[in-house]
Amino acid sequence: MNAQDFFEEGALIAVQTTQPLDRALDYRAPEGGCAVGAFVEVPLGPRKVIGVVWGPGEGGYDLSRVRGVSRVLDVAPMGEDMRAFLMRAGDYTLTPLSSMLRLATRAPGLGGAVSMRKVYRRGDVEPDRMTDARRRVLEVLNDYGGLSFTLSELSEMAGVTTSVVKGLVKTGAVSEEDAPRDMPYPRLDPMRAGKDLTDDQAAAAKTLRDAIAARAFGATMLKGVTGSGKTEVYLEAVAECLAQGRQALVLLPEIALTTEFLTRIEARFGARPAEWHSGVTMTERRRCWKMVGQGAAQVVVGARSALYLPFQDLGLIVVDEEHDSSYKQEDGALYNARDMAVLRASYCGARVVLASATPSLETWANVEAGKYDRLDLTSRFGDAVLPEMSAIDMRDEELPSSRWISPTLQGEVTKRVAAGEQSLIFLNRRGYAPVTICRACGHQIGCDHCDARMVEHRFQKRLVCHQCGETKPIPEACPSCQVEGKLAPVGPGVERIAEEVSDLFPDARVAVLSSDLYGSARALKEMIETIAAGGADIIIGTQIVAKGHNFPNLTLVGVIDADLGLQGSDLRAAERTFQLMRQVAGRAGRSVKPGLALLQTFQPEHPVIRAILSGDDEGFWRAEAEQRKAAGVPPFGRLAGVVLSGPDAPTVFDVAGQLARRDGPLRAVGAQVFGPAPAPIARVRGRHRVRLLIKAAKGVPIQNALRDWAAQVKLPNNVRLQIDIDPQSFY
Ligand code: ADP
Ligand code: ZN
């Protein structure tokens, strides 16, 4: 450590806190001094808050009023790379450093004293008397080498009562000790052999291993169809990273995927890694945070916010399904975890692996520009072949009203049911029906707080607003004309398709996979396991089925409405449809039986549908890139979305108008302002929303211009301004 990185007692230091202030605060270093990066507790008004020592204090005022740091917390200091990353990420996303620090300290009880608990391990002596129960306890302890267990863990694993363990403690055969509650994670062993890789897997793995051994920053797109072994390949990269003594982070887009993945890590490295996502208990979160900071968690598997964990020496970040839109955090600090992963890696000399069967256009463009490396896995592992894909032209199909499964699709499902194989029917729409209309007056039931129609959820027997989550019972009478018994559902959601499937196939076992139908991630996971084990003949699912689950007996995928994503003005509509359809189709034929994917469409000639069917993804990307280049939009131009919102529409429009007129700071860097216009969803939770769109050439540093521009107008109290750099969605 440099001398200037340590502050002696009484020295003036700047402490960055998580409080919403626009700067660090000055304090005096505590007794014993403190290092830059140390986590500290400081007095702020009547409270004590957590902060990080950021550097020397500013001074320049009445120094007698500067208060002292209360204490230095017993956690590893924040590294310089992490501080630099937080500052840069905050600058880039226009997020205050205090909010960035909050992301980086989202573990409860960091300030608390180290709490202890009793743990049990093998003692030095043999028990005086051996029983079956005692033998089982000792076997567990021997099997796990030097590991220690809590009383309940040990007795459960041995299948004995706790008194058996206590009895062994008395004899000295088991020792009882106090240990900190936050225990290190079991060591993963990178030297264990992985699967025998195929030639192209082995070549990709070797390239990644070499890149990681070089211990330098870089990013690699790992592209391969679902089932080609991308996971096997990047586990080799994880192994190399562990062998280098560095930490690895694997980001997954969906909590439901983590369990399957943890099991795979355990099989490969002999122990389970740390987990970080919203389904993890508070105690586990704190343990994970602390152990990551001490280097005592070698691998973390987690959601996007795991990027902000205090890794000591991060050597690899894998972003699995990197194209997934859930990597974009859509409230609070707006960031794209894929981009932040690259940024973070650049500060700590780590390699980033962006894995996907259908990479984002952003990543593809970075490869084309020579910024990222590229590795391809071209075939599926083993005998599995890619599914055959074709369109069902809905203009030629005879369908009664309020029916969506074409006779052609029905025929194919019938064959699968007869053969004992599984079919997946895909529709990316939760609920029973997207619209409820009154047949007497034409009124459509909307949300009281949002400019959105309410979606009927028949399992819950309620109408739900997908914007704000508001629910209400399905009324008897039309809220507009009061006529009773005339409300009717229009259009399909997965629940309605399930009803149709049950009518068409009364003897088949039907399962619906939709995120809202399961109370917990665990319940959803259990359902997925049941299905994978053959517990359903026909699966009806929303986009959660598109994400990586393995259903070996699935041989048919039917897409109810392949045109769904093509409507709408979103600049990524085509890309999203392409990715989603390819991912869903990839669910079929993952084992030895060949798969078939059928897309119901009214526009089989649409270029996107044709690209999906032909499997020519390079062609699709090239065409899509040309269009975006011509329009000057991402990834070939820059966008920032600005949303103003408030309870009073005229006020919000007024502020937006002022901002649009005072575009000098933006024009100075060559950026243009479009709008104001009502946002596509013009009201959410009772707040009116007005949008401006800022467009600039690639490489223009728009952040500073945006900051100056927004600062010109003082916002009324109840008006909120939100700037989204590189927006993913445009609602
Ligand atoms: P992806 O991540 O590309 O979807 P996976 O790595 O999950 O592919 O591989 C798909 C399936 O094939 C998994 O069950 C995996 O264990 C298996 N697999 C892939 N490569 C191999 C290999 N070389 N040896 C044995 N099994 C493999
Ligand atoms: Zn609503």
Side-chain angles (χ1 to χ4, degrees), residues 447-452 454 465-470 683-685:
C447 175
D448 297 337
H449 315 287
C450 304
D451 185 17
M454 291 194 98
C465 171
H466 285 185
Q467 291 310 317
C468 70
E470 173 80 1
R683 197 166 57 110
V684 173
R685 292 190 184 88

Side-chain angles (χ1 to χ4, degrees), residues 361 571 621-637 672 674 695-697:
L361 193 63
L571 89 93
W621 276 339
R622 233 169 275 120
E624 182 68 12
E626 278 316 311
Q627 288 198 3
R628 299 232 201 134
K629 239 180 234 162
V633 294
F636 306 100
Q672 285 172 285
F674 296 89
K695 203 173 144 189

Side-chain angles (χ1 to χ4, degrees), residues 329-534:
Q329 163 87 18
E330 294 281 11
D331 51 38
L334 305 175
Y335 65 89
N336 188 317
R338 179 195 60 221
D339 301 342
M340 290 301 127
V342 175
L343 185 64
R344 170 119 209 215
S346 73
Y347 283 101
C348 55
R351 172 70 36 177
V352 181
V353 174
L354 304 169
S356 176
T358 53
S360 62
L361 193 63
E362 271 80 0
T363 296
W364 187 79
N366 277 323
V367 170
E368 290 289 289
K371 289 189 201 152
Y372 296 176
D373 300 336
R374 167 172 183 163
L375 290 171
D376 284 87
L377 298 177
T378 41
S379 58
R380 285 192 155 187
F381 175 71
D383 297 328
V385 285
L386 271 181
E388 190 191 319
M389 295 216 242
S390 64
I392 297 178
D393 188 340
M394 294 300 278
R395 294 168 303 188
D396 300 338
E397 299 280 326
E398 296 278 343
L399 263 183
S401 70
S402 297
R403 291 287 180 171
W404 291 275
I405 296 173
S406 64
T408 305
L409 181 55
Q410 183 188 344
E412 292 296 330
V413 175
T414 307
K415 284 189 222 162
R416 298 307 182 291
V417 174
E421 295 169 8
Q422 290 178 317
S423 307
L424 165 68
I425 300 201
F426 176 82
L427 176 64
N428 198 15
R429 223 190 235 152
R430 292 178 288 130
Y432 184 82
V435 180
T436 301
I437 196 169
C438 170
R439 293 222 190 280
C441 74
H443 175 76
Q444 301 184 355
I445 299 187
C447 175
D448 297 337
H449 315 287
C450 304
D451 185 17
R453 291 179 295 211
M454 291 194 98
V455 178
E456 180 181 346
H457 284 244
R458 201 159 273 194
F459 286 178
Q460 295 175 28
K461 299 199 177 56
R462 291 184 83 80
L463 295 167
V464 180
C465 171
H466 285 185
Q467 291 310 317
C468 70
E470 173 80 1
T471 72
K472 57 186 171 197
I474 301 162
E476 288 291 318
C478 170
S480 177
C481 69
Q482 320 308 335
V483 173
E484 284 191 20
K486 286 286 182 188
L487 289 173
V490 178
V494 277
E495 295 176 13
R496 199 168 192 184
I497 297 296
E499 194 176 86
E500 188 176 344
V501 166
S502 299
D503 283 352
L504 295 175
F505 308 96
D507 299 327
R509 294 165 304 158
V510 177
V512 183
L513 274 182
S514 176
S515 54
D516 58 308
L517 295 178
Y518 298 88
S520 65
R522 174 180 295 267
L524 175 61
K525 190 201 111 210
E526 279 167 9
M527 189 58 179
I528 289 168
E529 281 167 6
T530 307
I531 294 173

